[in-house]
Amino acid sequence: MTGGDVAAAFRDPGGCGTMAETPGPVSRSVSLTPIRKQYLDIKRRYPHAIVFFRLGDFYETFDDDAEICARELEITLTSKPMGKNLRVPLAGIPYHAVETYLARLIQKGYKVAICEQMGDPAKAKGLVERKVVRVVTPGTVLEGNLLDQRSNNYLAALVTQGGRSGIAYADVSTGEFAATELPAAEAPAELARLAPAELLLPEGSEAPEPYRGPVTAVRPEWADPEEAQEELLRHFEAGSLEGIGIAGRPLAVAAAGVVLRYLAETQASVLGHVTRLASYTPSAFMTLDAHARRNLEIFATLRQGTAAGSLLGVLDGTKTAMGARLLRRWLGQPLLDVAAIRARHDAVAFCHESAVRRARLQGVLSKVPDLERLLSRVSSGVATPRDLVALRRGLEQVPALRAVLEEAEPGAVRDRLLAGLRPLPEVAELIAAAVEDEPAATFDQGGVIRAGFHAELDALRRVSRDARQYLSELERQERERTGIRSLKLGYNKVFGYYIEVSNANLSLVPADYQRRQTLVGAERFITPELKEYETQILNARERMGEIEEEIFRQVCGQVSAAGAQVLACAAAVAELDVYVALADAAARHGYVRPEVDGGDVLEIEDGRHPVVERMLPEGSFVPNDTRLSGREQIAVITGPNMAGKSTYLRQVALMVLMAQAGSFVPARAARIGVVDRIFTRVGAQDDLASGQSTFMVEMLETAHILHNATPRSLVILDEIGRGTSTYDGLAIAQAVVEYLHHREQGPKTLFATHYHELVALAEVLPRVRNYNVAVTEEGGRVVFLHKIVPGGADRSYGIHVAQLAGLPRPVVARAQELLAELERRGRGRGRRGEPAAQLSLFSAPPDLVRELASLEVDGMTPLEALTRLYELRERAKRELGE
């Protein structure tokens, strides 16, 4: 059992196969034990989840589940009689170690139903009641060791109908819940942004390409907008969708309903933590499709897949898990609203202006635990006493953060940050009054609730505390009464309190001693007085545990009631953490505040790649300028491979992204007109899973860009046409540039190419500019200067790069001979012959070029322009002898 079919448990609650007592060929005549019948009744309701069945101090698994657990968890597989002539496979794990084993199963794609004892077995008359309290799936995890603390763990739902889609997502570990409706064609990009741990789809639906994450099928009726509306209104206790903020978006409502219904079936306890549904519009943010996220290495490197070496790795100096998750969201969803972008820059500047203030804020922030996930555990009933203490200590840091901010001069930014940081002293004080600073891990150990908080508990503790003194005194009295100097009192969990007498002294045992246990060299006894005191002590201990757990649950309930305020405070802490981290990165790496506006100019002075410069010796990175606008729309960048073209392209895109996410940028100065989408086509890779070659992948990505780029987009194209023959590739590259140029208000484009022949485009396309990567030759070897300068390259330097790569000298020498021969033959061949070297596409007769340049295209009608084009084509054919 793997992957995404757990919801079949909900679609077919009675389905259990054809067998009488368990999935498998077992005779109907088998007589089952009561606990076996109870287990099978539960398993029938969750056939596609591994059932962790609580039996005392263990979670037991049976049948196929046991075999899976034994194999995947590397634990012992045994068997147990559970009826006449029936032994079933059995594998168990200690209840206190459940998180470790649960993590391993979830990571392998399994889903686990946690079945708990609903009462005290010692007090139950007959079989103790058991029921599944939650089904743990990849998207509904609460356990800390199953989660990446610095990123969200989203459960998402997708509902598509009539060319539109609804997407809803929730992180049950933080309480975040949001939904949107958008064109179906835009759903893949939004799913790429969310990267859900689990995607819910109505049965019969398919995930959109190129999504290949985990999928769970759910009942189709869950996606009915009317049923979903009722589910939302009931959960949020609202009278209309307007109050929730999602009215008029039926597919968003349907997707949100799917998420709620799924949580109700798997993790009902977390629903109390989901207190707000945020409705959002993806068009309010910069769109970054999966290609852009991957190629720009925003969150992970292409090769290692690690944060180190990515943009996130450079910028993430956050001190809290909440801040780290928020920074990820900001980088994945840059803003389009100029005022909102400037507000973030204002806050970063406020933190940037004082190194002392920044350091003090970082010191306090480093003491703040993950308030969001701690609250989720408290609200869902899985928190430990230590979780509650950690939550208290986090809330106690809020006044310290405010104190640092209040020392700054009054201003709009300071006041806005202070407004969000609202202390919750009543919550912190309640926890401090009720729970010990260093509580025990479990209630059976005692020591969770603070002394003085509960009178009965204090009295019972006195009884338990006085027991030691009483037993010590009783031991002394019994030694004097019996004359047995080696007599001693003891206790074990099986036999309780006892008096132990060695065999040598058995003749001195009084008549009122009652034998309880025989050992090799001694006997153990009990007296009526000791038995009575044992009952009193054990009852006190049991009652202490009950009271402590009861008080703890009450405190958790009161804290949960203030959950909305705790989450608001956590959000404010996270936001401040991100501002401080971005300001610190700016101070350490020499970033400047960009000027962001609604214009169409992208102008950068001495820009640098934020990641690459960190990998080089201090000050060795060569900065470069960039200028793109409506009049300088396309920059064709030529030069040899390895000279820095790709780095330059990526650094421009990253600086735009950083600026619109709220960060300062690595440059001397920057002016950035808001970009709605960043498109990238860089690198070469096969898609073997779908049988697509490198060149097909390249063309698919290029087609996607050409169809979807807008006038406000930034397009990054690197080596278009490289995956096919020289002339095919050159023709495609030129056609792409022409297409982008001829579109009305085409996107700003950086077009890097090794086809140096394309530099001639700037002579005929008015919005194309040529740039090249400067090189110099020293002693016959090429030296890359990594400087982008105006003008085009006159050759590709491919053999020089091959030499740098270490090709054997004979290969390099022979390649140079062949290149010289090909160039000679290309120059000498007649016009009817196909050139063997890379010849310019613009080697037309001078008079034809002059006539083409003199055309007043702007004053022509479409028909006149088409007529002149045909005339020029016929002249060109005659010149070429065709």
Side-chain angles (χ1 to χ4, degrees):
M1 179 196 69
T2 59
D5 59 354
V6 70
F10 312 133
R11 296 195 303 271
D12 183 18
C16 185
T18 59
M19 61 335 135
E21 69 91 23
T22 186
V26 178
S27 169
R28 293 179 179 272
S29 64
V30 171
S31 175
L32 306 177
T33 63
I35 202 165
R36 178 63 173 174
K37 293 178 181 177
Q38 183 186 54
Y39 166 77
L40 290 176
D41 182 57
I42 291 169
K43 181 62 179 177
R44 286 187 183 95
R45 295 194 289 272
Y46 301 91
H48 296 284
I50 294 174
V51 175
F52 275 16
F53 191 79
R54 183 70 178 269
L55 280 174
D57 290 341
F58 282 80
Y59 286 107
E60 300 289 359
T61 59
F62 304 101
D63 308 317
D64 291 344
D65 290 356
E67 293 179 358
I68 291 171
C69 288
R71 181 180 68 248
E72 301 289 4
L73 302 178
E74 299 177 345
I75 58 178
T76 302
L77 179 68
T78 62
S79 64
K80 180 183 180 75
M82 299 194 75
K84 185 179 180 180
N85 300 321
L86 174 67
R87 293 189 71 88
V88 298
L90 172 72
I93 59 172
Y95 82 95
H96 57 78
V98 66
E99 288 194 8
T100 300
Y101 292 104
L102 192 59
R104 292 168 64 182
L105 289 174
I106 295 299
Q107 289 166 359
K108 291 175 180 288
Y110 295 97
K111 298 173 176 65
V112 180
I114 307 294
C115 180
E116 293 287 2
Q117 297 173 164
M118 304 312 293
D120 186 347
K123 297 180 179 180
K125 294 182 178 180
L127 195 62
V128 65
E129 179 188 0
R130 290 178 176 84
K131 74 174 184 178
V132 171
V133 295
R134 62 193 182 111
V135 179
V136 184
T137 71
T140 60
V141 171
L142 291 173
E143 286 73 13
N145 63 339
L146 276 71
L147 295 167
D148 179 351
Q149 297 302 312
R150 302 184 75 79
S151 62
N152 285 100
N153 189 70
Y154 287 130
L155 169 72
L158 173 68
V159 177
T160 299
Q161 182 179 338
R164 292 189 65 78
S165 293
I167 293 179
Y169 64 88
D171 184 341
V172 298
S173 70
T174 66
E176 184 181 358
F177 186 27
T180 189
E181 187 170 313
L182 69 172
E186 298 177 11
E190 184 61 4
L191 289 177
R193 179 185 75 83
L194 295 171
E198 186 176 0
L199 177 63
L200 307 178
L201 290 175
E203 196 172 33
S205 303
E206 293 185 359
E209 289 291 339
Y211 180 80
R212 293 192 178 92
V215 173
T216 296
V218 297
R219 293 176 179 174
E221 59 268 26
W222 286 5
D224 178 79
E226 292 186 4
E227 288 196 17
Q229 176 175 328
E230 292 301 317
E231 188 76 21
L232 289 171
L233 295 178
R234 181 166 50 253
H235 176 77
F236 291 108
E237 300 180 349
S240 70
L241 293 178
E242 282 80 1
I244 302 175
I246 200 173
R249 300 182 176 186
L251 295 181
V253 170
V258 168
V259 170
L260 279 184
R261 294 286 288 271
Y262 188 72
L263 290 178
E265 294 283 1
T266 60
Q267 296 270 20
S269 61
V270 306
L271 287 175
H273 190 48
V274 180
T275 59
R276 179 175 175 270
L277 174 62
S279 176
Y280 71 102
T281 304
S283 60
F285 304 94
M286 179 194 291
T287 300
L288 294 165
D289 60 23
H291 304 305
R293 293 171 189 277
R294 181 184 67 247
N295 292 332
L296 295 179
E297 298 182 299
I298 301 171
F299 303 113
T301 58
L302 281 169
R303 291 192 176 183
Q304 288 81 25
T306 60
S310 69
L311 177 64
L312 179 67
V314 171
L315 296 181
D316 190 4
T318 54
K319 301 301 180 182
T320 71
M322 303 169 295
R325 293 193 294 269
L326 182 61
L327 177 59
R328 269 184 169 270
R329 293 199 293 273
W330 282 11
L331 292 178
Q333 214 172 19
L335 299 172
L336 299 183
D337 182 80
V338 172
I341 294 170
R342 290 175 178 172
R344 286 186 183 177
H345 290 159
D346 288 342
V348 174
F350 171 81
C351 298
H352 183 268
E353 67 187 18
S354 171
V356 173
R357 181 192 306 144
R358 194 166 62 247
R360 291 182 61 195
L361 287 172
Q362 287 176 315
V364 179
L365 287 166
S366 64
K367 301 176 184 177
V368 179
D370 196 338
L371 299 177
E372 291 175 336
R373 286 184 170 166
L374 287 170
L375 179 65
S376 178
R377 291 176 63 81
V378 169
S379 299
S380 58
V382 299
T384 67
R386 293 171 184 176
D387 289 335
L388 205 55
V389 171
L391 180 64
R392 183 205 90 198
R393 289 174 174 161
L395 293 175
E396 289 174 344
Q397 299 305 316
V398 176
L401 291 173
R402 290 182 60 87
V404 177
L405 294 174
E406 285 169 347
E407 292 177 2
E409 291 293 324
V413 175
R414 189 204 75 156
D415 295 345
R416 177 167 64 85
L417 294 175
L418 283 170
L421 290 170
R422 296 181 179 177
L424 297 170
E426 63 282 0
V427 177
E429 289 168 5
L430 169 65
I431 300 172
V435 183
E436 291 279 3
D437 290 339
E438 300 294 337
T442 61
F443 297 103
D444 56 4
Q445 300 175 23
V448 172
I449 303 303
R450 195 181 294 276
F453 187 78
H454 192 276
E456 182 184 356
L457 180 62
D458 288 345
L460 291 169
R461 282 174 172 167
R462 284 193 293 272
V463 171
S464 180
R465 188 167 53 247
D466 293 344
R468 289 187 179 181
Q469 182 178 350
Y470 171 82
L471 293 172
S472 177
E473 179 63 21
L474 180 62
E475 183 179 73
R476 185 190 64 78
Q477 292 175 2
E478 289 301 307
R479 284 178 178 176
E480 291 180 357
R481 181 165 77 98
T482 63
I484 304 173
R485 298 183 62 82
S486 62
L487 178 150
K488 62 181 180 181
L489 267 68
Y491 172 83
N492 67 34
K493 290 184 178 181
V494 177
F495 294 101
Y497 287 100
Y498 57 81
I499 298 172
E500 184 172 300
V501 178
S502 64
N503 290 341
N505 294 302
L506 290 179
S507 61
L508 301 176
V509 171
D512 61 340
Y513 276 29
Q514 303 169 13
R515 183 176 280 103
R516 173 164 284 194
Q517 184 182 14
T518 299
L519 304 179
V520 174
E523 296 281 347
R524 289 177 176 175
F525 301 89
I526 188 73
T527 66
E529 180 183 3
L530 186 58
K531 181 64 176 176
E532 180 181 352
Y533 199 74
E534 175 187 83
T535 301
Q536 182 181 356
I537 293 173
L538 294 181
N539 286 344
R541 288 182 178 175
E542 181 180 353
R543 179 59 182 151
M544 283 166 53
E546 292 175 353
I547 292 175
E548 286 208 314
E549 187 167 3
E550 181 181 343
I551 293 172
F552 179 77
R553 299 303 172 201
Q554 289 175 353
V555 173
C556 286
Q558 291 177 264
V559 172
S560 298
Q565 297 96 301
V566 175
L567 286 177
C569 181
V573 172
E575 191 171 345
L576 177 60
D577 191 16
V578 173
Y579 292 140
V580 172
L582 292 177
D584 190 61
R588 285 186 291 113
H589 306 323
Y591 297 172
V592 299
R593 176 174 181 164
E595 178 187 345
V596 177
D597 57 34
D600 69 347
V601 174
L602 172 55
E603 194 170 48
I604 298 170
E605 297 180 28
D606 286 344
R608 313 185 305 276
H609 193 294
V611 179
V612 175
E613 75 163 341
R614 306 312 325 147
M615 300 178 178
L616 298 176
E618 185 73 25
S620 63
F621 188 91
V622 179
N624 278 295
D625 298 341
T626 303
R627 180 172 178 82
L628 294 171
S629 68
R631 301 179 67 178
E632 300 172 86
Q633 175 204 342
I634 302 174
V636 174
I637 306 161
T638 50
N641 292 325
M642 294 179 58
K645 298 195 301 294
S646 295
T647 298
Y648 174 70
L649 265 60
R650 287 180 170 91
Q651 79 184 38
V652 173
L654 287 174
M655 278 187 275
V656 170
L657 185 151
M658 290 169 66
Q660 291 183 218
S663 174
F664 286 12
V665 298
R668 186 159 60 88
R671 178 186 173 192
I672 296 172
V674 169
V675 167
D676 65 352
R677 301 187 68 158
I678 294 177
F679 292 95
T680 64
R681 159 84 286 275
V682 299
Q685 57 185 355
D686 292 326
D687 188 347
L688 299 178
S690 58
Q692 294 173 348
S693 67
T694 299
F695 183 62
M696 176 58 78
V697 171
E698 176 185 332
M699 291 298 98
L700 287 172
E701 293 182 6
T702 304
H704 172 69
I705 294 170
L706 298 182
H707 284 300
N708 293 284
T710 75
R712 299 204 68 84
S713 299
L714 175 63
V715 175
I716 304 298
L717 296 171
D718 191 10
E719 306 293 12
I720 291 295
R722 191 178 200 169
T724 186
S725 69
T726 300
Y727 292 107
D728 278 355
L730 180 55
I732 291 170
Q734 179 181 342
V736 168
V737 175
E738 290 176 350
Y739 180 86
L740 291 169
H741 179 275
H742 294 339
R743 291 179 59 181
E744 184 177 356
Q745 294 182 316
K748 293 184 284 291
T749 303
L750 294 174
F751 191 99
T753 181
H754 65 290
Y755 296 127
H756 59 267
E757 296 85 356
L758 293 181
V759 299
L761 284 170
E763 300 175 12
V764 293
L765 301 179
R767 296 194 303 280
V768 172
R769 300 290 185 273
N770 283 327
Y771 296 89
N772 72 94
V773 186
V775 299
T776 186
E777 293 189 42
E778 297 178 0
R781 297 179 66 89
V782 172
V783 177
F784 301 140
L785 302 181
H786 304 295
K787 194 69 178 176
I788 305 296
V789 297
D794 59 355
R795 50 182 170 148
S796 297
Y797 294 95
I799 294 177
H800 294 82
V801 173
Q803 183 179 10
L804 288 175
L807 260 64
R809 289 184 180 179
V811 174
V812 173
R814 178 57 177 157
Q816 289 171 335
E817 293 174 1
L818 291 171
L819 177 62
E821 174 62 19
L822 289 170
E823 289 177 340
R824 183 188 63 77
R825 289 167 54 193
R827 286 192 297 269
R829 183 167 294 180
R831 287 182 178 175
R832 283 186 177 273
E834 182 181 356
Q838 292 186 12
L839 299 181
S840 173
L841 294 181
F842 302 95
S843 55
D847 59 336
L848 188 60
V849 173
R850 282 194 295 273
E851 183 171 350
L852 184 62
S854 67
L855 289 177
E856 296 291 339
V857 177
D858 294 338
M860 290 183 178
T861 66
L863 182 58
E864 290 171 338
L866 189 60
T867 301
R868 290 293 291 142
L869 182 60
Y870 276 115
E871 292 174 355
L872 291 171
R873 187 186 69 174
E874 293 306 313
R875 282 190 55 190
K877 284 184 176 181
R878 290 194 298 272
E879 291 285 348
L880 293 170
E882 296 180 358

